[in-house]
């Protein structure tokens, strides 16, 4: 299954979209909240149910000990979002100042995420937040660059508005160049369209010279629930956002599969020290309140 990273230029609904895709997937799924500016799911969707003792920041110390320690910490710091244990969350940072400690952790975390996707069949989504550039490159602290470099797909999330397209337009070429030079190739880049505004998918594709790989409706009530938490809106399980998100995950899997066939990627080498991730997840299923 693919590892898909979601990013935005500004306020395009990355977190709500990431949650929708994770919760709607037909397969086991995991959302890694890796926005260096700080996570919002803990205080929003989860309504403070998860404390600061669980989450991304704690992986930094474990990574310095070694791959096995990182694998164990990763499994221990997941939060299960459903009763069956099929939807998991790695909660994000509670303080943006913590981002500087993760520079060494991103590549190792990426490897763990690919183990889950490749060996355990998880749909893995990364909320990478707002893109930050420095001299035309991804900022090494304000963006989790290694996660984008190694992702199967990188989705620039945009709304169908003139403002959103204008902001995104300035990021397309630097991001495409970055993926060409340091990532898995420029064709990893696609768009996730939030259908808010007058522009439709074919118009957005033409305007940004980048394909729309999936689209989600602007569902204010469900997106508000994902952003702010509280009681789910009436008919939440049958909401247009979740129904379209389920279809979107299939489109993304198909796009990632086409890339692998076209690029003829060699199989990723196995890492016995990370194989324990799968066993620990199956044994415990992550934390749950």
């Amino acid at each position: 299954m693919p590892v898909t990273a979601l990013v935005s230029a500004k306020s395009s609904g990355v977190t709500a979209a990431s949650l929708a895709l994770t919760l709607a997937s037909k397969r086991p799924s995991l959302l890694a909240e890796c926005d260096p500016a700080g996570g919002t799911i803990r205080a929003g969707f989860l309504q403070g149910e998860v404390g600061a003792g669980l989450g991304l920041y704690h992986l930094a110390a474990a990574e310095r000990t070694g791959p096995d320690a990182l694998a164990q910490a990763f499994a221990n710091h997941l939060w299960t979002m459903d009763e069956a244990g099929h939807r998991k969350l790695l909660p994000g940072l509670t303080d943006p100042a913590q981002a500087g400690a993760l520079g060494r952790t991103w590549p190792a975390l990426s490897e763990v995420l690919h183990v889950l996707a490749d060996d355990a069949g998880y749909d893995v989504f990364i909320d990478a937040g707002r893109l930050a550039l420095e001299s035309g490159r991804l900022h090494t602290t304000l963006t989790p660059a290694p996660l984008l470099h190694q992702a199967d797909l990188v989705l620039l999330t945009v709304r169908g508005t003139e403002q959103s397209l204008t902001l995104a337009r300035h990021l397309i070429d630097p991001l495409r160049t970055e993926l060409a030079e340091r990532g898995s190739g420029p064709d990893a880049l696609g768009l996730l369209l939030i259908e808010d505004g007058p522009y439709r998918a074919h118009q957005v594709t033409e305007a940004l010279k980048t394909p729309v790989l999936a689209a989600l409706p602007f569902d204010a009530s469900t997106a508000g629930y994902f952003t702010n938490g509280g009681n789910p809106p009436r008919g939440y399980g049958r909401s247009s956002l979740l129904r379209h998100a389920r279809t979107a995950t299939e489109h993304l899997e198909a796009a990632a599969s086409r890339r692998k066939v076209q690029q003829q990627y060699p199989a990723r080498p196995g890492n016995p020290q990370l194989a324990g991730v799968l066993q620990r997840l199956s044994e415990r299923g992550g934390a749950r309140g």
Side-chain angles (χ1 to χ4, degrees), residues 42 46 49-59 73-80 89-94 286-289:
R42 194 189 308 262
L46 297 181
E49 191 176 356
V50 178
L54 193 76
L56 174 65
Y57 178 68
H58 300 278
L59 303 188
F74 176 80
N76 289 342
H77 283 273
L78 295 180
W79 181 262
T80 301
L89 168 72
L90 176 64
L93 301 179
T94 56
R288 180 81 180 170

Side-chain angles (χ1 to χ4, degrees), residues 117-143:
D118 296 342
D119 297 348
Y122 271 69
D123 268 339
V124 176
F125 300 98
I126 301 168
D127 176 354
R130 181 177 176 177
L131 280 180
L133 299 179
E134 183 179 41
S135 301
R137 296 285 190 181
L138 292 179
H139 196 288
T140 56
T141 301
L142 301 181
T143 301

Side-chain angles (χ1 to χ4, degrees), residues 7-95:
V7 297
S8 74
K10 182 180 180 181
S11 303
S12 294
V14 165
T15 298
S18 298
L19 275 168
L21 293 168
T22 303
L23 293 171
S25 173
K26 297 178 181 178
R27 296 169 288 273
S29 56
L30 180 138
L31 171 56
E33 193 181 19
C34 298
D35 185 349
T40 60
I41 295 176
R42 194 189 308 262
F45 180 62
L46 297 181
Q47 292 284 280
E49 191 176 356
V50 178
L54 193 76
L56 174 65
Y57 178 68
H58 300 278
L59 303 188
E63 185 277 329
R64 288 173 173 78
T65 301
D68 189 64
L70 175 65
Q72 181 172 345
F74 176 80
N76 289 342
H77 283 273
L78 295 180
W79 181 262
T80 301
M81 295 189 288
D82 66 339
E83 293 297 333
H86 295 155
R87 317 291 177 207
K88 303 181 191 301
L89 168 72
L90 176 64
L93 301 179
T94 56
D95 183 348

